[in-house]
Amino acid sequence: MTMNVPGTALRSPDAARTADPARTPEPAPTAAVRQADGMAVASFVFGLIGLLAMNLLLGPTAIVLAALALHRGTSRSGRARLGLALGVADLVVLAWLVSADQTWSWSIG
């Protein structure tokens, strides 16, 4: 049973929880931030796979996705920066292999 003391208002336990700024829940990420997070993860994956295969296609794709994710304010900025670095590394590896073989098609062995 809850009693009302003069000069105080009745509050539910939920109201007491939300009144404390340290305990307020964080707002849910918007659709744009979730999409930017997906772009950051995709750029990382494309950059990583691009080191092994199809680096002419996956390297620039990783760079573009990472730049878009960073521009849109992703919460995974470290992963987007890593995707950007891996995309650049893809193009560097491609340039090195093309200069070694003197052709756009390269193979190991």
Side-chain angles (χ1 to χ4, degrees), residues 27 58 92 99:
L58 294 179
V92 168
S99 68

Side-chain angles (χ1 to χ4, degrees), residues 6-104:
T8 62
L10 288 176
R11 291 191 299 173
S12 68
D14 292 332
R17 234 182 318 190
T18 58
D20 185 14
R23 299 181 86 185
T24 56
E26 294 182 17
T30 62
V33 172
R34 283 194 305 259
Q35 187 179 24
D37 290 347
M39 287 181 186
V41 172
S43 72
F44 170 72
V45 171
F46 285 165
L48 196 60
I49 293 172
L51 285 175
L52 303 174
M54 297 188 299
N55 44 6
L56 181 61
L57 176 67
L58 294 179
T61 304
I63 292 170
V64 169
L65 285 175
L68 283 173
L70 289 171
H71 179 71
R72 292 183 182 185
T74 181
S75 62
R76 299 175 183 226
S77 61
R79 190 154 302 165
R81 286 188 186 106
L82 189 57
L84 182 67
L86 286 170
V88 170
D90 291 347
L91 296 179
V92 168
V93 166
L94 177 67
W96 179 72
L97 290 172
V98 165
S99 68
D101 288 347
Q102 301 299 323
T103 181
W104 281 100

